[in-house]
Structure formats: C-alpha cells, structure tokens
Amino acid sequence: MSSALADHIAGVRLVDNHVHGYWLTSGDRRRFENGLNEANIDPLADFDSGFDTQLGFAVRAHCAPLLGLPEHVDPQTYWERRRESTEDQLARVFLPAAGVSDWLVDTGLPGAIGGLAEMADVSGSAVGEIVRLEQIAEQAAAAAGDYADAFRRILHERTATAVATKTVLAYRGGFNGDLSEPDERAVDAAAARWRDAGGVRLADRVLLRFGVHEALRLGKPLQFHVGLGDRDCDLHRTNPLLLLDLLRQSGTTPIVLLHCYPYEREAGYLAQAFNNVYLDVGLSINHLGARAEAFVARTLELAPFRKILYSSDAFGPAELHYLGSALWRAAMAAVLTGFVARGQWSEPDAIRVVDLIGRANARRVYRL
Amino acid sequence: MSSALADHIAGVRLVDNHVHGYWLTSGDRRRFENGLNEANIDPLADFDSGFDTQLGFAVRAHCAPLLGLPEHVDPQTYWERRRESTEDQLARVFLPAAGVSDWLVDTGLPGAIGGLAEMADVSGSAVGEIVRLEQIAEQAAAAAGDYADAFRRILHERTATAVATKTVLAYRGGFNGDLSEPDERAVDAAAARWRDAGGVRLADRVLLRFGVHEALRLGKPLQFHVGLGDRDCDLHRTNPLLLLDLLRQSGTTPIVLLHCYPYEREAGYLAQAFNNVYLDVGLSINHLGARAEAFVARTLELAPFRKILYSSDAFGPAELHYLGSALWRAAMAAVLTGFVARGQWSEPDAIRVVDLIGRANARRVYRL
Amino acid sequence: MSSALADHIAGVRLVDNHVHGYWLTSGDRRRFENGLNEANIDPLADFDSGFDTQLGFAVRAHCAPLLGLPEHVDPQTYWERRRESTEDQLARVFLPAAGVSDWLVDTGLPGAIGGLAEMADVSGSAVGEIVRLEQIAEQAAAAAGDYADAFRRILHERTATAVATKTVLAYRGGFNGDLSEPDERAVDAAAARWRDAGGVRLADRVLLRFGVHEALRLGKPLQFHVGLGDRDCDLHRTNPLLLLDLLRQSGTTPIVLLHCYPYEREAGYLAQAFNNVYLDVGLSINHLGARAEAFVARTLELAPFRKILYSSDAFGPAELHYLGSALWRAAMAAVLTGFVARGQWSEPDAIRVVDLIGRANARRVYRL
C-alpha cells in the first residue's frame, strides 16, 4: 500500500455529519445483539445472533483491540469484557478513538442516550445539533394557536444554534407522490385533524410536505433519511429518485441524502445532477463491515468528489461511533490505493479526496 | 490463498436447497445451447450461441475435465464428447461430483427430467421434495367438491413427506398489489370462475393469495421465485421489496427468497429485517459464471450469515447440478479469502460461515 | 498481466456505435468543466469543479499525455495547454488516437459540433449516421399533408444511407405506460394537436409510440437512450425493464439499449431474454473513470457476449472521443485478465470476446 496515502487516511480528523447518542445505561446481551441489527424491529430469533453478521464480525475485528482483546476474539469473551465497563466508560474509549473533530448529532431519537453535552464531554470534540422536522411538528401541534406559525417559530428557535435539519419522511409514507408545497389552508385543515386525533405519530402528507418546504426556505442543510433503515419504512419507497420533482424545486438549500443503501448509485447520480445535493455513507458502512469497501467504491462513481460526506450514523453501542470511522478509513484506503495502483488516480489527488470527503465538504456545507 | 479455508471449502458437503431434475432423454445441440440460456423463451438466434455466455464459458472451464477434456476446450469438442454419453451417464458423472449430501427437489416442472428416485440413485445422496403451490391449485381445481377444502387436503397430503412448498407468484402477475389473505367467499367465487374457464393456467390473484396463506399456515418453509427467470415474468414486478406487506404478516414460517438477481441486495435487507426470511443464491450463480464471485460478495452484505442458503437451481443439463457447486466454492473461496487477507474476518470465522451457508442453515430450516 | 491479451486489447480497432460530434468553436473554462458533467443542467456551482469527478480525473490521467503533459497534471496546467489549440486541432489529436475504425454518429443534437464530414476528416475513419426519430417527427410536423405519411417518407429518405435510428423516449415521459402501436386515427388527431400547438417539443405519447413502431417496421437497428442522462429525464422511468411489453412485440429489429447506468444489470438480462436486444456501455464508461472497470464487469454478467457493444457517447470535448476508448480498453484488460488469472476464462476466449464487443458485434448488427 502506498504509505503516504495510508498514513494520511489513518490520521485525518473527520467530521461525522450524522450521528446519534451512545447508550447511557447498561443492558443485557440481548440488547447488545439487537443493537447490531438495523432492519429488524422484533427481537432476534433464538437461533440467530447479532454477532453473525458483517457488523458483528467488524466489531470483533476492529473494536476488540480497544478493549484489550485480540482481533476477532470470540463473541462470548467480547461480551464479557464489554460488560465489565459502564456505557459511559465504553464511550470514553470508543469516541475519542474515532478521530472525529466534529459530531453533528441528530437529537430526535428517544431513549437514554447521550446528548450534545455528553458527546462533547466523552470525546473532547466539538458538537453541532441536527433538528428533526417531525419533532418540531409535534411541538407545533402541542403549542397554542396557528400550527404553521408555531412550526415556523419553533423551527427558527431550535435552529438558531443548530447546523441542520432532518426529515424522516422515508418512514412516514416514503418519497412517492406529491411533495410540492401545500397551501396554508390545506396546512390549517390538516393540522386541525391531527390535533383532533390527539398524539398519533405524524403521517399526514400535507404537514410533512409543509415541514420540508419550511426547512428548504430556512436554508440550513436538510438531511433526508434514504434507503437502509428498519422495516417500518417501505424500502422501495425511499429510492431517492422519487425525490426528483422536489429536488427540481429545492433551490440552493443543501440536501444531504443519508445512508442510501441500496440506492447509493442513484443518490450519486442526484449529487451530480443538482448543485445542492450531497451523498452520505453513514449507517451503511457499519452494517456492511468487510463489504464497506465495495459500498464506498460505488459512492465514488457519479457523485462529484465535493459532494460526498462521511458519517457513522452510530446509535446505541459506543462501538459504532468508532467503527464507522475505522471501516471508512479501511475502505477508502483499499479503494483509493487500487485507483492509484492502476494509474487512474495520482496519490496527491487521492489524499485530497480523502480530505474533501472526510472533513472539508462537511465544513463547507455546515459552515463549521 | 489460505489453505485451511480453501481445503474446507473444497470439501464441505452441501445441501442444495432448490434444484430440479436432469434431462432423461438425449437431445440435439440446439437443445443443449438453449439449456444454457435462462431468460429467452424463443430458440436462440442463428447468429448466437449458448456457449458465448458466462455460463457457457463456465461449463467449458469446470465441466470439461470431468468428461476427460482439458479446461476451456472448444465448444465443438465439448459437444461431441458430451453426446457420446446418455443423459443418465452424464448425471452419474456430474451429480456425485457436486459434493451434495441432500438435494431438495422442486418437482413441479414438466418434461422428461429425473424425479426424486433418479436424483437419489445417480448421486447416492439424500433427496427431499418441494411441492409447488400452483400445482396443488390445479389438482384442487380438478378435484370434486369445495376448492378450498380440496386445496388444504392435497396440500397436507403432499407435504406430509415434503420438506417445503414453493410459489411461482412471480410468474403469475408478480409481487405488486394486494397479497393479503382472501376470504372464503372470494376464494369460492374465484375457484368457480377458474373451473368454468377450464384448464387455463392459474393467474387468478385471489387463488394465488389463498395458496400462499395456506402454505404460511402449514408452517413448512415456503420458497418464492424472486428475480431472474424467463421473460414470461416481468422482472421489475419480482423485486422482493414488493413482498414487504406480506412478510410483515407472515409470522414464523420460513420464507426463502430464491435466485434474487438483480435484487440480491434488497433480498439481503429482508433477510436482516425479518426473523423468518432467507436469501438463496441459486440459478444466479450458474448464469453468472466468472461473475458469481461478485454476486456471492453482494449476498454477504446485509443478510445475517445464519440466513443465507446454497442452491444450484439446476434444471436440464446435468452439468448444472455440478456447476452450481463448483462456482459457489470458487466464489466463496475468492470472497472469503479476500476478507481474511484484509484482516476483516478471521479464518476460523470464514470456515464457520462456509458451513452455515453450505449446509447448516438449510439443515436447520428444512429440519433435515 | 497476460501480455497477449493486453496487447490485443491495446490494438483492436473499435466500432464506436453511438457518438456525437466534437465542439467546433472555442469556449471558456466554464464550458469545459460543465462539459464534464452529464446530469446537471445548471452551470456548476462556484464551489464545485468539473475536474473533481471521476471523469475529470480520467481526463488528466489519460488525455494529458496526448497534449504533451504528464499524467495527472493539475487542472490549471491542463486547461492552459488545452486552450493553446483550437477545437479542430484537439479533435485531430484525440479522435485518431481512439483507435476507432467506424464512428456511428447521432446527428440529432444541436449546436456547433462536428458532423459526419468533420468526424471522418479529422479521424481518417469511416462514419455512419444515426437518425433521431424525434427529429423526423419535427420534420413531419413541419411538412405539408398527412403527418403519418410525411413521417414515413422522411424516415425512409433519411435512413436510406443511415445505419440506425434512435429514440429519446426516455426524455419524453419515460418508458412507463402503454407503448403499443397507436391506430392511424389517434396519430392523426395527435398530430393535429401538436401542429396547432406550434413548435413545442414533442412529448405526445401517441406520436412517440408511432415513431418507435415505424422504426421497428423499418428494420434498421433502433437505439434507446436508457438510464444516465441529464436530469430532464426521470431516471427511474428509464429502467429498461419498463420496455418489456414493447420488447415482447418488437420482432427481429435490433434494439440497442444505450448507456444503461445504473440499470446495466437489468439491460443485460434483457439482452439474454430477447434475440434482438443489445447492451451498450457508452457514456457510463467516461463518467465512471476509475470505476469504469466495475461497470464493464457488471455488463459481463447475464448479457451474452454476442449482444454487447462498445461506444463512447462522446459529445463536446474531443477528449471524450478518445477517453471512452482508453477507459474501455483499461477496464476490459483489468476485468478479463482477472477472469483468466482465476482460471474462469481462457486467454484465447478473452481475446475473442474483446473482438466481439469491440467491433464484430457492431459490424454484424449495423451491417458495416
């Protein structure tokens, strides 16, 4: 391997442009193994194990040494060593080791997980907040007075210090169908229906569309969950090509397509087609483990190199906050070394692309 | 190559969890070359040759030596040597060489092909039967009395000794649309219409849905043809993501997604998302030849390792019963050796995954 | 690398079965960088550069030496050297270097670009014309008398010397929906509406369908834009599987699926499923640069080797006419050498497949 490139990849400080908190409270092995499965919303079957996946193998390969264990140590030993520490102690091992200078944290997930302050504290790095539009919608519905006014007010309040917004439209009916901006009367009527229904999860398309267009108007980067997620979403309705009409009217607000598996090539096309569209690799890299290399290679097809971003999308086990970084570095090293070895890229270009994807693009997009 | 892993892959006895019979009667070269094309239902054009495909190249690379010919021998010599033997003699060469301990045979295809007894006889291995739901439907339509009762009775009779059921819903309208369980009155009416029509191929969605839900209730593994097949099916209507609603209500009955090309990554997602969903690699491996390696690698992405199965889906030329095994072994060796060489997997883990996919998962799922 | 195969790939004279003219007039750097982006129809953003893409890197890697510069030279130096020459001079450098014996030129694009005569002159190679159906439709609308008669007359006149027709149906509503042949009354009515509308771009489905079926009746190869293109088309509506019903009724007229990214595996399936369907690799190869190798590998899956064609789909910068050839040769060398090295293919077979895809298939299909 070309050592200047390898050394650079090993050392670059990353911006993790989409991440969640780590667990704050201890749990049993079942919780940990389920935490290694993204798509299933049931407990894993008795015959199965979260360790027998690419992610499980990657945890044992990359995280075991940070707990003083040999690479590829058996699951039982890994689990026993892990349980000797609190989740806070584990976070203090894994987060600093990720080599991340900035964590951009989606604070919209419930549960006993670390928030901005904990993330900054255990890692010693900077943090920024990403605000979920669907959470703002819930707050607006709970507020007094006009829904649209309340939404706009809360959006501006919460994003005064936040770096970006995010939508999980993928989980609320998907991307198919009309995504144009609704008129105020339609928003009023939909808000009244939703308030009357009392506390149901937001799935009204009018209100979802309203939120997206308010976020576009705000101008801060808007992240979309795309592709891989749990089975509550219809994966085929999260093909980012279904966003084409929306993207055509999205103006200059940066739109970040998160995760993207198995639509990373379609997302790369969109990143080439629109000046304001970006391609992120989070979540997919962790779950693909040894195959993260193939995924990273596919993201380096049509997407311009100034339009690709790194994230881990880690949530829960602190291992994942580190592993995203470790797998991305290994994948980039393998893929770019191959490009250089075959004479397609120069080594200085490869090093520059590492910096773009690893940190410079995110610093520009999020104005860090 | 890591020799312990390579030796293990070469030696493992496989369960072929979805296969058909080999030809019993001799045919001409045209039949043989058409037998190397899956998707076309017309005779191959005069300018074309079934040998000039990945499958044709793989036959010459892997099967020629078993007929005493050099690897990559020219097509004419291969054909002339092949025609010196009867199909039965060829089966006695190729089936034992596959290293398969158990053939699970879909007996629903017509034609002069070997059945369970012949498969067991020529290979010296165990056999199990897979019963097609659409064939049971035909038998129920031909039986006297209530259709639903007849279907249930025949299903239970035929699966008393069978290991699994199978549906070719992919060929009967595809996966799009409502796949919920129909009520009895709708089934009665649809059955009356079908019986009145007299002998037409089953394409009624109510009866197809009825059959699938009866098979789910039975509890034995239910195989779905997914993706690659002949052009009678609309390939885009066989995207397994279109099964999401059905899978959400499928309970604990194992569901095996067969073939899956080009939707193997979507199928792998489903195998992670549902405790009862499995990913199979048959048919695709044979037709991809030198590219089977890339396909196998893609199946090792999101699918948990306890949820992936081996099959050849061989039908017709006895070469295919052997070739699936040969190509799978070569592909697994290449892919897993790569994972080990890059430090992502340990060699003992790789060996264990070979056993899971090659035989242990199938033995558990089909209760062999 | 196996040198007989490598030498053969380096030397084979190609048929470029789908290409456009090169720029005739000088332009600024902005035009050049935008010319390296296919999907975006806006000017590139100020923060972006057409050089920071796989295509941009490939230009610097492969084209710089032909301008007397080192491989991977920096963009500024490349641009300054390039502007020292006229576009005609650049064409006289890059087109002959492509090693193309026959350019089949789609003459339907507007702008100051080289036509058949210029292409032949600067390259010293043969040329053939490909006629766009939508352009014939415009000419028929402008002609006096019955639209259908005029369309047929112009189609026959223009294709008397042309080698093929082409449709951009992908850009005029996509492949979804009815593509059957309309009746004459429907064509008359649609033509009257279109003529009355006066000069609007053809988007009427009846007239588009009419044109496609007239081209099928003509019998000369019919090329379809498929997949990758600019964002005016809805990429997901250009999935070639949506052509299945049309292909089932397309008879024996060769149908060439152009570009195909990201649907190259689906297109390969169709090339196996229909005797008259072909898979082309143009445009995609240029824009994928270092990843063209992965794309070429994916086209070598289900498509029979007598059904795959080479093209560059170059348009604008003369670099692209050369680069398609250079990247295809590099990709084929890497992929086929791998097949041979792993014992899956013989070297003589690999050499023969290079000839089939590089020139023999096109010579047969287009009757060159």
Side-chain angles (χ1 to χ4, degrees):
Chain A
M1 178 180 290
S2 160
S3 65
L5 174 58
D7 290 351
H8 189 81
I9 292 174
V12 64
R13 298 281 287 172
L14 304 179
V15 176
D16 187 333
N17 96 106
H18 185 81
V19 67
H20 305 272
Y22 54 86
W23 285 327
L24 293 177
T25 56
S26 295
D28 61 9
R29 179 166 172 173
R30 175 177 292 263
R31 182 185 74 161
F32 182 70
E33 294 202 24
N34 278 286
L36 302 181
N37 179 309
E38 173 69 20
N40 203 342
I41 56 177
D42 288 329
L44 286 180
D46 288 341
F47 67 77
D48 208 353
S49 165
F51 279 108
D52 270 351
T53 59
Q54 287 284 12
L55 173 51
F57 279 28
V59 165
R60 291 165 46 226
H62 296 277
C63 301
L66 276 70
L67 299 184
L69 297 169
E71 293 178 351
H72 314 297
V73 69
D74 68 281
Q76 182 63 26
T77 304
Y78 187 86
W79 169 250
E80 286 173 3
R81 176 64 57 89
R82 184 189 203 285
R83 71 189 305 194
E84 293 173 5
S85 303
T86 65
E87 297 294 332
D88 179 74
Q89 289 170 327
L90 291 166
R92 291 179 190 278
V93 169
F94 287 114
L95 271 69
V100 165
S101 65
D102 299 78
W103 307 94
L104 307 189
V105 185
D106 170 5
T107 54
L109 281 178
I113 53 174
L116 295 172
E118 289 91 348
M119 294 283 288
D121 176 44
V122 302
S123 68
S125 301
V127 292
E129 185 177 12
I130 300 159
V131 178
R132 283 210 190 190
L133 298 178
E134 292 75 16
Q135 196 178 60
I136 292 176
E138 290 169 6
Q139 294 169 340
D146 182 74
Y147 173 86
D149 288 343
F151 186 97
R152 290 189 195 102
R153 177 174 45 78
I154 299 168
L155 175 65
H156 281 80
E157 286 170 5
R158 294 205 49 196
T159 58
T161 56
V163 295
T165 59
K166 179 193 175 187
T167 177
V168 291
L169 178 63
Y171 280 96
R172 309 296 173 96
F175 301 153
N176 49 312
D178 178 18
L179 292 176
S180 66
E181 184 165 15
D183 65 33
E184 294 273 330
R185 285 179 46 156
V187 173
D188 287 348
R193 282 194 305 271
W194 188 35
R195 283 169 164 170
D196 287 349
V200 300
R201 197 174 78 146
L202 176 62
D204 182 277
R205 296 292 283 186
V206 169
L207 298 184
L208 290 161
R209 288 157 50 201
F210 170 77
V212 165
H213 285 273
E214 288 299 324
L216 288 175
R217 188 167 288 121
L218 182 71
K220 292 206 174 184
L222 169 55
Q223 301 182 335
F224 276 76
H225 176 105
V226 174
L228 178 59
D230 72 49
R231 73 187 200 216
D232 264 352
C233 78
D234 286 349
L235 193 64
H236 54 298
R237 296 187 208 279
T238 72
N239 184 329
L241 295 179
L242 298 171
L243 293 173
L244 265 167
D245 281 337
L246 177 68
L247 297 178
R248 289 182 180 120
Q249 52 185 282
S250 62
T252 58
T253 297
I255 290 180
V256 180
L257 306 176
L258 300 171
H259 328 318
C260 294
Y261 187 95
Y263 303 115
E264 67 276 7
R265 299 204 297 156
E266 287 83 350
Y269 167 84
L270 295 172
Q272 178 177 122
F274 294 91
N275 283 323
N276 64 321
V277 173
Y278 293 82
L279 169 60
D280 163 79
V281 300
L283 188 64
S284 305
I285 283 181
N286 265 343
H287 284 273
L288 294 172
R291 287 287 292 171
E293 175 183 332
F295 178 79
V296 162
R298 288 190 296 259
T299 62
L300 294 168
E301 297 192 349
L302 292 187
F305 305 139
R306 300 187 192 185
K307 308 291 282 300
I308 309 174
L309 302 171
Y310 166 74
S311 83
S312 65
D313 196 32
F315 169 77
E319 283 92 336
L320 304 186
H321 296 77
Y322 166 73
L323 192 59
S325 164
L327 287 171
W328 182 83
R329 293 176 202 266
M332 288 290 281
V335 173
L336 301 197
T337 300
F339 291 166
V340 172
R342 296 199 303 282
Q344 301 283 354
W345 286 25
S346 73
E347 184 173 71
D349 279 325
I351 288 173
R352 197 166 55 81
V353 169
V354 168
D355 283 341
L356 285 171
I357 300 176
R359 71 182 282 102
N361 292 338
R363 287 175 57 83
R364 187 187 74 241
V365 174
Y366 298 103
R367 303 175 185 244
L368 303 180
Chain B
M1 179 180 291
S2 161
S3 65
L5 174 57
D7 291 351
H8 189 81
I9 291 173
V12 63
R13 299 278 290 171
L14 304 178
V15 176
D16 188 333
N17 96 106
H18 185 81
V19 66
H20 304 273
Y22 54 86
W23 284 328
L24 293 177
T25 57
S26 296
D28 61 9
R29 180 165 170 174
R30 177 177 289 262
R31 182 185 72 161
F32 182 70
E33 293 201 25
N34 277 287
L36 302 181
N37 179 308
E38 174 68 20
N40 203 339
I41 57 177
D42 287 328
L44 286 180
D46 288 342
F47 67 74
D48 208 352
S49 165
F51 279 109
D52 270 352
T53 59
Q54 287 284 12
L55 174 50
F57 279 28
V59 165
R60 292 165 47 226
H62 297 277
C63 300
L66 276 71
L67 299 184
L69 297 169
E71 293 178 352
H72 313 298
V73 69
D74 67 282
Q76 182 64 24
T77 303
Y78 187 86
W79 168 250
E80 286 173 3
R81 175 62 58 88
R82 185 190 201 283
R83 70 189 305 195
E84 292 173 6
S85 302
T86 65
E87 297 293 333
D88 179 73
Q89 289 170 328
L90 292 166
R92 290 178 190 279
V93 169
F94 287 113
L95 271 70
V100 165
S101 65
D102 300 79
W103 308 94
L104 307 189
V105 185
D106 170 4
T107 55
L109 281 179
I113 53 173
L116 296 173
E118 289 91 348
M119 294 283 287
D121 177 42
V122 302
S123 68
S125 300
V127 292
E129 184 178 12
I130 300 160
V131 178
R132 282 208 190 190
L133 297 178
E134 292 75 16
Q135 196 179 59
I136 292 176
E138 291 169 6
Q139 294 169 341
D146 182 74
Y147 173 86
D149 287 344
F151 186 98
R152 291 188 195 101
R153 177 174 45 77
I154 299 168
L155 175 65
H156 281 79
E157 286 170 5
R158 293 204 51 195
T159 58
T161 56
V163 295
T165 58
K166 179 194 176 187
T167 177
V168 290
L169 178 63
Y171 281 96
R172 310 297 173 93
F175 300 154
N176 50 313
D178 178 17
L179 291 176
S180 66
E181 184 164 17
D183 65 33
E184 293 274 330
R185 285 179 46 155
V187 173
D188 288 348
R193 281 195 304 272
W194 189 35
R195 282 169 165 171
D196 288 348
V200 299
R201 198 173 79 148
L202 177 62
D204 182 276
R205 297 292 284 186
V206 169
L207 299 184
L208 289 162
R209 288 157 49 201
F210 171 76
V212 164
H213 285 274
E214 287 299 324
L216 288 175
R217 189 167 288 121
L218 182 72
K220 292 205 174 183
L222 169 55
Q223 301 182 335
F224 276 77
H225 176 104
V226 174
L228 177 59
D230 72 50
R231 74 187 200 215
D232 264 352
C233 79
D234 285 349
L235 193 63
H236 54 297
R237 296 186 209 280
T238 72
N239 184 330
L241 295 178
L242 299 171
L243 293 173
L244 266 167
D245 281 336
L246 177 68
L247 296 177
R248 289 181 181 122
Q249 53 184 283
S250 63
T252 58
T253 297
I255 290 180
V256 180
L257 306 175
L258 299 171
H259 328 318
C260 295
Y261 187 96
Y263 304 115
E264 68 275 6
R265 299 202 298 157
E266 287 84 348
Y269 168 84
L270 295 172
Q272 178 177 122
F274 294 92
N275 283 322
N276 64 320
V277 173
Y278 292 82
L279 169 60
D280 164 78
V281 299
L283 189 63
S284 305
I285 284 181
N286 266 342
H287 283 274
L288 294 172
R291 287 287 292 171
E293 176 182 332
F295 178 79
V296 162
R298 289 191 295 259
T299 62
L300 293 168
E301 297 192 349
L302 291 188
F305 305 139
R306 300 186 191 186
K307 309 290 284 302
I308 308 174
L309 301 172
Y310 166 76
S311 82
S312 65
D313 196 33
F315 168 78
E319 283 92 337
L320 303 185
H321 296 78
Y322 167 72
L323 193 59
S325 164
L327 287 170
W328 182 84
R329 292 176 201 267
M332 288 290 281
V335 173
L336 301 197
T337 301
F339 291 166
V340 172
R342 296 199 303 280
Q344 300 284 354
W345 287 25
S346 73
E347 185 173 70
D349 278 327
I351 288 173
R352 197 166 56 80
V353 169
V354 167
D355 284 340
L356 286 171
I357 300 176
R359 69 183 284 102
N361 292 338
R363 287 175 57 82
R364 186 187 76 241
V365 175
Y366 298 102
R367 302 176 186 243
L368 304 180
Chain C
M1 180 180 290
S2 160
S3 63
L5 174 58
D7 291 350
H8 189 81
I9 291 174
V12 63
R13 299 279 288 172
L14 304 178
V15 176
D16 187 332
N17 96 108
H18 185 83
V19 66
H20 305 273
Y22 54 86
W23 285 327
L24 294 177
T25 57
S26 295
D28 61 9
R29 180 166 170 172
R30 176 178 289 263
R31 182 185 72 160
F32 183 70
E33 293 202 25
N34 277 287
L36 302 180
N37 179 308
E38 173 68 21
N40 203 341
I41 56 179
D42 287 329
L44 286 181
D46 288 341
F47 66 75
D48 208 352
S49 164
F51 279 108
D52 269 352
T53 60
Q54 286 284 12
L55 173 51
F57 279 28
V59 164
R60 291 165 47 225
H62 296 277
C63 300
L66 276 71
L67 299 183
L69 297 169
E71 294 179 351
H72 314 298
V73 69
D74 68 280
Q76 181 64 23
T77 303
Y78 186 87
W79 168 250
E80 287 173 0
R81 175 62 58 88
R82 186 190 200 283
R83 69 188 305 193
E84 294 172 4
S85 304
T86 66
E87 297 294 331
D88 179 74
Q89 289 169 328
L90 292 166
R92 290 178 191 278
V93 169
F94 287 114
L95 271 69
V100 166
S101 65
D102 300 78
W103 307 95
L104 307 188
V105 185
D106 171 5
T107 55
L109 281 179
I113 53 173
L116 295 173
E118 288 91 350
M119 294 283 287
D121 177 42
V122 302
S123 68
S125 301
V127 292
E129 185 178 12
I130 300 160
V131 178
R132 280 210 191 190
L133 298 178
E134 292 75 17
Q135 196 179 59
I136 292 177
E138 290 169 7
Q139 294 169 339
D146 182 75
Y147 172 86
D149 287 344
F151 185 97
R152 290 189 194 100
R153 176 173 47 77
I154 299 168
L155 175 65
H156 281 80
E157 286 169 5
R158 294 204 51 197
T159 59
T161 56
V163 295
T165 58
K166 179 192 176 187
T167 177
V168 290
L169 178 64
Y171 280 95
R172 310 296 173 94
F175 301 154
N176 49 313
D178 179 17
L179 292 176
S180 65
E181 185 165 16
D183 65 33
E184 295 274 331
R185 286 180 45 157
V187 173
D188 288 348
R193 283 194 303 271
W194 190 33
R195 283 170 164 170
D196 287 348
V200 300
R201 197 174 80 147
L202 177 62
D204 182 277
R205 296 293 283 185
V206 169
L207 298 184
L208 289 161
R209 287 157 50 202
F210 171 76
V212 165
H213 284 274
E214 288 299 324
L216 288 175
R217 189 168 287 120
L218 182 73
K220 291 204 174 185
L222 169 55
Q223 300 182 337
F224 277 76
H225 176 105
V226 174
L228 178 59
D230 72 50
R231 73 185 200 218
D232 264 352
C233 79
D234 285 349
L235 193 64
H236 54 297
R237 296 186 209 280
T238 72
N239 184 329
L241 295 178
L242 298 171
L243 294 172
L244 265 168
D245 281 337
L246 176 69
L247 297 177
R248 289 181 181 121
Q249 53 183 282
S250 63
T252 58
T253 298
I255 290 180
V256 180
L257 306 175
L258 299 171
H259 328 316
C260 294
Y261 188 95
Y263 304 115
E264 67 276 6
R265 300 203 298 156
E266 287 82 350
Y269 168 84
L270 295 172
Q272 177 177 124
F274 294 92
N275 284 322
N276 64 320
V277 173
Y278 292 82
L279 169 60
D280 164 77
V281 299
L283 189 64
S284 305
I285 284 181
N286 266 343
H287 283 274
L288 295 172
R291 286 288 292 171
E293 175 183 332
F295 178 79
V296 162
R298 289 190 296 258
T299 62
L300 294 168
E301 296 192 349
L302 291 188
F305 305 139
R306 300 186 191 186
K307 309 291 283 301
I308 309 174
L309 301 171
Y310 166 75
S311 82
S312 66
D313 196 33
F315 168 78
E319 283 92 336
L320 303 185
H321 296 78
Y322 167 73
L323 192 59
S325 164
L327 287 170
W328 182 83
R329 292 176 203 266
M332 289 289 281
V335 174
L336 301 197
T337 301
F339 290 167
V340 172
R342 295 199 303 280
Q344 301 283 354
W345 287 25
S346 74
E347 185 175 70
D349 278 326
I351 288 173
R352 198 166 56 79
V353 169
V354 168
D355 284 340
L356 286 171
I357 299 176
R359 68 185 283 102
N361 292 338
R363 288 176 57 81
R364 187 186 76 241
V365 174
Y366 296 103
R367 301 176 187 242
L368 305 180

